[in-house]
Amino acid sequence: MFKIAIDAMGGDHAPNAVVEGVNKAIATFPEIEVLLFGDEAQIKPLLTVEDRVTIVHTDEVVESDDEPVAAVRRKKGSSMVMAAQYVKEKKADALLSAGNTGALLASGLLVVGRMKGIDRPGLMPVLPTFNPESPHLILADAGANADCKPNNLYQFAVLASFYAKAMFGIANPRVGLINNGTEETKGNELTKAAFPLLKEATELNFVGNVEAKELLQGVCDIAITDGFTGNAILKSLEGTSKTIFKAIKNQLLNSGFKAKLGGLLIKNALSDLKDQFDDTKEGGAILLGVQAPVIKAHGSSNEEAIFNAIRQANKILTSNVVEEIANHFRSLS
Amino acid sequence: MFKIAIDAMGGDHAPNAVVEGVNKAIATFPEIEVLLFGDEAQIKPLLTVEDRVTIVHTDEVVESDDEPVAAVRRKKGSSMVMAAQYVKEKKADALLSAGNTGALLASGLLVVGRMKGIDRPGLMPVLPTFNPESPHLILADAGANADCKPNNLYQFAVLASFYAKAMFGIANPRVGLINNGTEETKGNELTKAAFPLLKEATELNFVGNVEAKELLQGVCDIAITDGFTGNAILKSLEGTSKTIFKAIKNQLLNSGFKAKLGGLLIKNALSDLKDQFDDTKEGGAILLGVQAPVIKAHGSSNEEAIFNAIRQANKILTSNVVEEIANHFRSLS
């Protein structure tokens, strides 16, 4: 039985969306048990399941504008930090929250704890590509480390390779280095120094530099970058796709009868496409390099997104990938 | 009369697209004269105008995979470097090419020459936003400087502010710093150090940090970043929008009769939207901080994109913005 510690109070639609996601997950996955951290008076009426769910009542909440490290240090009784503490004490196996990203990263680092041999854990979302032959792209790091050293990039590649194998069954995941050109000589100081490290690493399937414009075409399974650039790319993918879908809707509504009718006819097809591009399908972003799975669900998560993140946590625990990673890095030190 | 030096051999559709763009520009703008650098035998049959166009025959071409600095040093007789040399010698007032970006930047820096007081010139494309009240976004730097210092970011902001005023009549252009969060304390080492410089600069209208996901919504007129991140953002905007429009087309073609019919009905509206998002409408990216306007047109430029870049060069020369910038930085030193 896997125990998942879930912050019921994190995210834009908490606690409703979180508890509803838990209801569905408990009914679907007989092998999991959920510890729900938060305000019992709010959570209890929303829960439709009784077995395998325990509410751990907490009074405090980490707010979205709390300074991350200060929140972790001062709000020890909050739903997020208490959940992390349970994982630290092995009373739970994985941590899940849709709350303040920085605070969750700090909880992962300072409470759950770094894995031996890892310099900097990396935050790794899985993005859907438009290439059916290579539908998943792991972006590492997407924002845990604004400044990186070459060795951090190398470690992200190793961590993500283990993850891609365990979660998507990719035998030899292709690692690309995000760069400002595909030629080997291109780059800033960081990527120029990271390139030879990645190239010489025999345990990696390094395919060279990749450009941000090719990411959704499936040129690699794992795209490596520093957390500042990764964050910028992730947000510009998100911003551009949202803006375009909105612009299409507006354009069709304001272009006269023919376009309006056309808009009605393509509504389903367009909505299928939006689903295909939904980046919460594979769950949340995982923080890899800490001692247990820590999953950040999107702040705007609805019931379905939370359910997907729980399914992801279950799959990670079933695969035993975090233990595998720990063994690998232990064997090196 | 403004003299524009144009590399006829640069770009995917050279020399045809370039010469056709020149034909149209000469007919449209009576105040310009064009010097066309390239293979006379190829250019001459394409030219439909005679007045105000001079072909300067060159034998060599900078290829798209040439190493930039080596190309500028060794291919002094190439169409691109010769055109830069004419600008350097004041035989032409502006330089335009759709060829190898790195080589054009190197031609700007090493041949045309840096402006006094500028540490690093910046490459600045103008992106169309989806906000009709604030339709232009200047991205600085989009790739000329992979590694930047805080002062470079400050200078990009000053350069781009002059440009936004002169080209778009924005009296007090809003400058945003691209960051991994909008709070003042967010960032990597570079943005944390650049923030106070921008905030304290009384000549700038600094509006604080902006996130990559908001750029197309018109949150600022100028978005400042290092060239590595700028390049990644530009390419991910480009890649995402192309991929989505392509995916929509495929989706509609493969979704049965209803969607196909809908697709036909919305074709015009969708194509209007694509036009609105066309980033060659305002011409190419300008390299600011060198002694004359150097314009990089998109490698895939067609006749229309070249024409737009010539119109842009004409407008820059008419506005005298480069001289204004030079005076400003001269007065500081």
Side-chain angles (χ1 to χ4, degrees):
Chain A
M1 190 73 76
F2 299 121
K3 286 189 188 171
I4 305 172
I6 299 181
D7 170 13
M9 312 307 281
D12 306 341
H13 309 297
N16 302 50
V18 181
V19 179
E20 283 157 16
V22 168
N23 288 333
K24 190 173 165 190
I26 287 290
T28 313
F29 308 115
E31 66 276 28
I32 67 165
E33 192 182 323
V34 168
L35 301 170
L36 257 176
F37 293 78
D39 180 7
E40 186 160 12
Q42 286 185 68
I43 296 170
K44 210 158 189 179
L46 299 167
L47 260 184
T48 57
V49 287
E50 286 184 8
D51 283 353
R52 294 180 284 123
V53 180
T54 313
I55 300 173
V56 181
H57 176 73
T58 57
D59 288 317
E60 250 178 327
V61 172
V62 174
E63 306 293 345
S64 62
D65 55 355
D66 275 343
E67 201 284 311
V69 175
V72 173
R73 297 234 161 100
R74 289 184 207 138
K75 292 190 165 177
K76 289 200 197 300
S78 64
S79 55
M80 184 193 283
V81 183
M82 277 290 276
Q85 189 61 33
Y86 265 60
V87 175
K88 158 92 183 165
E89 294 169 8
K90 309 229 185 276
K91 293 193 274 190
D93 304 305
L95 170 61
L96 169 57
S97 174
N100 182 321
T101 307
L104 185 66
L105 294 173
S107 299
L109 275 169
L110 305 175
V111 183
V112 176
R114 226 165 7 109
M115 208 178 249
K116 204 181 150 141
I118 297 287
D119 296 326
R120 299 282 201 98
L123 182 66
M124 310 189 187
V126 176
L127 306 178
T129 75
F130 282 104
N131 182 343
E133 319 235 311
S134 168
H136 303 114
L137 174 76
I138 301 174
L139 182 67
D141 171 28
N145 309 282
D147 292 288
C148 284
K149 299 212 173 350
N151 190 51
N152 303 143
L153 267 53
Y154 159 73
Q155 290 193 340
F156 299 155
V158 176
L159 290 166
S161 293
F162 273 103
Y163 193 74
K165 275 179 222 173
M167 297 294 281
F168 307 122
I170 305 171
N172 209 10
R174 295 160 300 156
V175 174
L177 175 65
I178 296 180
N179 214 335
N180 59 356
T182 51
E183 303 87 340
E184 186 164 341
T185 53
K186 285 271 182 169
N188 59 6
E189 285 171 19
L190 175 66
T191 57
K192 281 181 187 167
F195 191 97
L197 280 185
L198 294 164
K199 196 177 172 185
E200 284 152 27
T202 49
E203 74 273 42
L204 296 175
N205 177 16
F206 181 53
V207 296
N209 292 325
V210 294
E211 290 196 281
K213 66 180 169 193
E214 323 165 290
L215 293 179
L216 300 184
Q217 293 162 19
V219 290
C220 56
D221 303 302
I222 296 164
I224 299 299
T225 188
D226 67 276
F228 188 85
T229 309
N231 183 274
I233 290 176
L234 186 65
K235 287 185 177 156
S236 84
L237 289 176
E238 215 180 277
T240 311
S241 61
K242 264 194 197 147
T243 311
I244 291 179
F245 279 115
K246 208 173 130 193
I248 290 174
K249 204 175 149 189
N250 288 343
Q251 182 77 4
L252 296 182
L253 287 173
N254 299 319
S255 296
F257 176 72
K258 206 174 92 175
K260 267 198 200 101
L261 177 63
L264 278 175
L265 294 171
I266 64 162
K267 214 174 161 187
N268 291 339
L270 217 56
S271 138
D272 287 352
L273 187 69
K274 269 178 87 169
D275 284 351
Q276 192 186 320
F277 194 61
D278 175 7
D279 63 357
T280 65
K281 262 190 318 185
E282 293 299 331
I286 182 159
L287 181 67
L288 279 180
V290 289
Q291 296 189 21
V294 173
I295 294 171
K296 169 65 180 85
H298 206 286
S300 66
S301 287
N302 57 15
E303 169 192 345
E304 194 62 24
I306 297 290
F307 171 79
N308 290 338
I310 299 174
R311 188 186 56 208
Q312 174 193 17
N314 185 28
K315 195 167 174 188
I316 293 169
L317 292 168
T318 308
S319 76
N320 210 26
V321 62
V322 171
E323 190 52 34
E324 226 184 294
I325 292 174
N327 288 338
H328 173 82
F329 282 94
R330 212 179 287 126
S331 75
L332 297 179
S333 60
Chain B
M1 191 73 74
F2 299 121
K3 285 188 189 173
I4 305 172
I6 300 180
D7 170 12
M9 312 308 282
D12 305 343
H13 309 299
N16 301 50
V18 181
V19 179
E20 282 157 16
V22 168
N23 287 333
K24 189 173 166 192
I26 287 289
T28 313
F29 308 115
E31 66 276 28
I32 66 165
E33 192 181 323
V34 168
L35 300 171
L36 259 176
F37 294 76
D39 179 8
E40 186 160 13
Q42 285 186 68
I43 296 170
K44 210 158 188 180
L46 299 167
L47 261 185
T48 58
V49 286
E50 285 185 6
D51 282 351
R52 294 180 283 122
V53 181
T54 312
I55 300 173
V56 181
H57 177 73
T58 57
D59 287 318
E60 252 178 326
V61 172
V62 173
E63 305 293 344
S64 63
D65 55 355
D66 274 344
E67 202 284 310
V69 175
V72 173
R73 296 234 163 100
R74 288 184 209 138
K75 291 189 165 176
K76 289 200 197 301
S78 64
S79 54
M80 184 193 283
V81 183
M82 277 290 277
Q85 189 60 34
Y86 266 59
V87 175
K88 159 93 182 163
E89 293 169 8
K90 308 227 186 281
K91 293 192 274 188
D93 304 304
L95 171 60
L96 169 57
S97 174
N100 182 322
T101 307
L104 185 65
L105 293 173
S107 299
L109 276 168
L110 305 176
V111 183
V112 176
R114 224 162 14 105
M115 207 177 248
K116 203 180 153 142
I118 298 286
D119 295 326
R120 297 283 201 98
L123 183 65
M124 311 190 186
V126 176
L127 306 179
T129 75
F130 282 104
N131 182 344
E133 320 235 311
S134 167
H136 302 114
L137 174 76
I138 301 174
L139 182 67
D141 172 28
N145 310 281
D147 292 289
C148 284
K149 299 212 173 350
N151 190 53
N152 303 143
L153 267 52
Y154 159 72
Q155 290 194 339
F156 298 154
V158 176
L159 290 167
S161 292
F162 273 102
Y163 193 73
K165 275 179 222 173
M167 296 294 282
F168 307 121
I170 305 171
N172 208 11
R174 295 160 301 156
V175 174
L177 176 65
I178 297 181
N179 214 335
N180 57 357
T182 52
E183 304 88 340
E184 185 163 340
T185 52
K186 285 271 183 170
N188 58 6
E189 285 171 19
L190 175 66
T191 58
K192 281 181 187 165
F195 191 98
L197 280 186
L198 293 166
K199 195 176 171 185
E200 284 153 27
T202 50
E203 74 272 41
L204 295 175
N205 178 17
F206 181 53
V207 297
N209 291 326
V210 294
E211 290 197 279
K213 67 179 168 194
E214 324 167 288
L215 293 179
L216 299 186
Q217 294 162 20
V219 290
C220 56
D221 303 303
I222 296 164
I224 298 299
T225 188
D226 67 274
F228 189 84
T229 309
N231 183 274
I233 290 177
L234 186 65
K235 287 186 177 155
S236 85
L237 289 176
E238 216 181 276
T240 312
S241 61
K242 263 195 199 149
T243 311
I244 291 179
F245 280 114
K246 207 174 133 192
I248 290 174
K249 205 177 148 188
N250 288 343
Q251 182 77 3
L252 297 182
L253 287 175
N254 298 320
S255 295
F257 176 71
K258 206 174 94 177
K260 266 195 204 106
L261 178 62
L264 277 175
L265 292 171
I266 64 161
K267 215 173 159 189
N268 290 339
L270 218 56
S271 137
D272 286 353
L273 187 69
K274 271 178 85 171
D275 284 350
Q276 193 186 317
F277 193 60
D278 175 7
D279 64 357
T280 64
K281 263 191 317 186
E282 293 299 332
I286 183 159
L287 180 68
L288 279 180
V290 289
Q291 296 189 21
V294 173
I295 295 170
K296 169 66 179 85
H298 206 288
S300 65
S301 287
N302 57 15
E303 168 192 344
E304 194 61 24
I306 296 291
F307 171 78
N308 290 338
I310 299 173
R311 188 186 55 207
Q312 174 193 17
N314 185 28
K315 196 167 174 187
I316 293 169
L317 293 169
T318 307
S319 76
N320 210 24
V321 62
V322 172
E323 190 53 34
E324 229 184 291
I325 292 173
N327 288 337
H328 172 82
F329 282 93
R330 213 177 286 128
S331 75
L332 298 177
S333 60

